[in-house]
Amino acid sequence: MEKITMADIAQLAGVTKSTVSRYFNGGYVRQETRERIQEVIKKYNYTPNTFARLKARNSRVVGVVVPALNSKITGRVITSIDRYLRKEGYETLIKNSDHDVKQELENIRQLMSLNVDGILLSAITITPEHLELTQNSPVPIVVLAQECPGGFSVVDDDYQAGFAMGQLVGRSHPSHPAYLGVEESDIAVGIERRRGVLEGLKSCGIPDVRIFQGDYSYESGQEMTRRALRSGPVDALICATDRLAYGAYRVLGEMGLSIPGDVAVAGFGGYDESALLTPILTTLKFDSYTLGYLGAETLLKLIRQEPVPQKQVVGFQMIPGGSLRS
Amino acid sequence: MEKITMADIAQLAGVTKSTVSRYFNGGYVRQETRERIQEVIKKYNYTPNTFARLKARNSRVVGVVVPALNSKITGRVITSIDRYLRKEGYETLIKNSDHDVKQELENIRQLMSLNVDGILLSAITITPEHLELTQNSPVPIVVLAQECPGGFSVVDDDYQAGFAMGQLVGRSHPSHPAYLGVEESDIAVGIERRRGVLEGLKSCGIPDVRIFQGDYSYESGQEMTRRALRSGPVDALICATDRLAYGAYRVLGEMGLSIPGDVAVAGFGGYDESALLTPILTTLKFDSYTLGYLGAETLLKLIRQEPVPQKQVVGFQMIPGGSLRS
DNA sequence: CTGAAAGCGCTTACAG
DNA sequence: CTGAAAGCGCTTACAG
């Protein structure tokens, strides 16, 4: 199959490529001509090369940068974005940063030079370089899941979610609560969520919480749990993500400690798998579908120069399980 | 920030865009000139527009079409592909088919008209239209996880994996085994894997297996399990995927049936979460990392016109848990 | 080793 | 309603 171009289609339909171009971009084409062109297109399964539209004002392509492709949550967010954009006649171009900040910045630059109409950025962290890049961007950018000072963002309500979970755990008045968290470079999870948890506990009269820090992995969850247990008595573990809670389950099980009898456990994320644990993990689900949807919607509004809020906060939902004491 | 072009860079470096182009594509450029150009590029953070290379022989871009973005396995495969290609100096462009065959075909066509150098296709199913498209493709295509008659493919060893699991379960001589499977349009999982299981069981003297069919969801796993239990006594459930097994766990738990005491359960996929179930699910893990790696490697070889095998089969690994009787 | 010129597949004012 | 022409940001023979 030879590559077929717009000029070929034009010739076959007995018109100029100008007309075929207009056909695709909603310009004036007589009904009769339109039908002739359509026929040829169908026959040759022609799709115009989106990226040869070098002179077009808008490319109808939106770039999405994600930190990784192996997380359920990211999957949900992208799927949601993709569906919305497709519905609106935009193409989605996905770039993976693979948890590497350098790669992430590179991805943003690449997308910019590709003259996409806009960028949806699910950032690992917001560095000064990010700010410079987003503030001087030739195209609109919407940041997902992290706040972006001076930029537009759609975020989860990490503080309120943390507070709610802190209160829920606090209600049973644990004597030795511990928090398993992540790096502070992730403002949303590493700082805001933790702050919520601590204040939620404090509101129940529990000011002292032992705090641990690690990465997002299952292994890190295990390691932090061991560290917590070694550091003194523990009767409640609030984990920054469900994955970390899985690590806690494993270690507590190995040590013969019962959940929630000996140690209560809570997570964040509401992964489907959490409902399969024994006991079912008490967790909290962010609305990733809405996050993606609003992100895409906001970006298109920016592209169309319509007014949008600087920051939008998406809700969450508590998913009670059996891993807390009542 | 105004969009900066190759012509701008050239002017700033006191050369022609021909020279800058050569700089990027490994042509002759004097050391001194090279350094001058490099300086300007660094200063302006310039990245050439990959898609303006309309006249280039090769675009150094590879398209990847995936059925969905919310599966762990797909995530692993893409991550692996992406890393390999990046290392080799190629860009990866990911398109999501969202479980829709029409969308999938459209994605393939789009990538073709984008003049990417090659396509990696993780197909939902192989229809005659797929065959026509792949056989007449102007660029090489490698199909992942499904065999593609007349085309190049990298696949899991579904038959052997099924056989191994069939034998493992068969060794305890269940009297009433059932198989929970998926649609036959998915040749790899729906047909080959099942065939392996049935023959593995048969090799242990178990010719009769009740077979059920559904989709890939957790809900479908539950529904098929209920159907199986209603249809008569069951003491072993072999599930085509771990996710289906999760559904089985849930329903068996609700009914007060013990695993493996009353019913043995097995899965396929080796998801991390399967190790968190009680009892731990006996499953089998395909080497998704290698699948992606070999797919990418093979595609690049095809692009470079080097010889490659028509079909490559990737191995698997049994992950014993506590969900089978010994 | 470098530049001038033609061209890739498309879009867009501008005529008609 | 349609076409001729210039141009988008690049690459590539071909001279020099």
Side-chain angles (χ1 to χ4, degrees), chain A residues 165 242 267-271 274 281-285 317-321:
Chain A
M165 190 59 91
D242 280 9
F268 285 83
Y271 306 165
S274 302
L281 177 64
T282 292
T283 178
L284 179 158
K285 187 175 195 159
Q317 190 194 352
M318 188 62 79
I319 304 181

Side-chain angles (χ1 to χ4, degrees), chain B residues 165-181 197-202 204-212 224-225 227-229 231-239 262-266 324-325:
Chain B
M165 190 58 91
Q167 277 205 322
L168 188 64
V169 174
R171 231 173 271 155
S172 66
H173 295 285
S175 326
H176 307 288
Y179 180 76
L180 309 189
V197 168
L198 298 183
E199 298 199 6
L201 285 166
K202 195 182 282 173
C204 297
I206 304 169
D208 295 325
V209 183
R210 294 216 299 287
I211 293 173
F212 299 87
M224 283 190 277
T225 304
R227 253 198 292 155
L229 292 170
S231 74
V234 174
D235 62 352
L237 276 176
I238 304 185
C239 308
D262 295 316
V263 184
V265 179
L324 297 185
R325 274 167 277 177

Side-chain angles (χ1 to χ4, degrees), chain A residues 221-234:
Chain A
Q222 297 185 46
E223 189 270 328
M224 284 192 275
T225 303
R226 287 202 196 89
R227 254 198 292 155
L229 292 170
R230 271 202 306 271
S231 74
V234 174

Side-chain angles (χ1 to χ4, degrees), chain B residues 6 17 21 46 57:
Chain B
M6 194 175 271
K17 57 194 162 82
S21 175
Y46 171 70
R57 294 196 190 82

Side-chain angles (χ1 to χ4, degrees), chain A residues 138-300:
Chain A
V139 295
I141 298 189
V142 173
V143 177
L144 299 177
Q146 296 280 353
E147 271 190 57
C148 181
F152 299 95
S153 56
V154 182
V155 298
D156 292 314
D157 201 345
D158 280 289
Y159 175 78
Q160 288 300 339
F163 194 88
M165 190 59 91
Q167 278 205 321
L168 188 64
V169 173
R171 232 171 272 157
S172 67
H173 295 284
S175 325
H176 307 288
Y179 180 77
L180 309 189
V182 300
E183 307 144 347
E184 299 193 347
S185 60
D186 181 339
I187 308 277
V189 180
I191 295 185
E192 285 304 304
R193 192 174 294 180
R194 184 184 65 194
R195 193 166 64 85
V197 168
L198 297 183
E199 298 199 6
L201 286 166
K202 195 182 283 173
S203 78
C204 297
I206 304 169
D208 296 325
V209 182
R210 295 216 299 287
I211 292 173
F212 299 86
Q213 211 165 297
D215 63 34
Y216 301 84
S217 71
Y218 179 50
E219 288 71 26
S220 175
Q222 297 185 46
E223 189 270 328
M224 284 192 275
T225 303
R226 287 202 196 89
R227 254 198 292 155
L229 292 170
R230 271 202 306 271
S231 74
V234 174
D235 62 351
L237 276 176
I238 304 185
C239 308
T241 75
D242 280 9
R243 183 155 298 281
L244 296 179
Y246 297 167
Y249 263 63
R250 160 105 326 172
V251 170
L252 293 173
E254 282 169 10
M255 302 214 150
L257 294 167
S258 87
I259 305 171
D262 296 315
V263 184
V265 179
F268 285 83
Y271 306 165
D272 295 341
E273 290 78 13
S274 302
L276 296 166
L277 299 179
T278 315
I280 291 176
L281 177 64
T282 292
T283 178
L284 179 158
K285 187 175 195 159
F286 293 103
D287 191 350
S288 310
Y289 188 82
T290 300
L291 187 84
Y293 186 97
L294 289 179
E297 187 191 54
T298 305
L299 187 63
L300 292 201

Side-chain angles (χ1 to χ4, degrees), chain B residues 22-61:
Chain B
R22 252 183 262 109
Y23 169 90
F24 278 108
N25 298 299
Y28 285 117
V29 182
R30 211 200 325 171
Q31 183 57 27
E32 197 194 306
T33 318
R34 181 175 294 279
E35 281 162 12
R36 242 181 19 247
I37 295 175
Q38 191 161 30
E39 215 171 288
V40 181
I41 287 167
K42 198 150 244 165
K43 183 164 165 202
Y44 289 88
N45 252 329
Y46 171 70
T47 322
N49 180 340
T50 326
F51 292 101
R53 309 178 71 234
L54 255 25
K55 210 184 177 183
R57 294 196 190 82
N58 56 352
S59 63
R60 302 232 114 202
V61 177

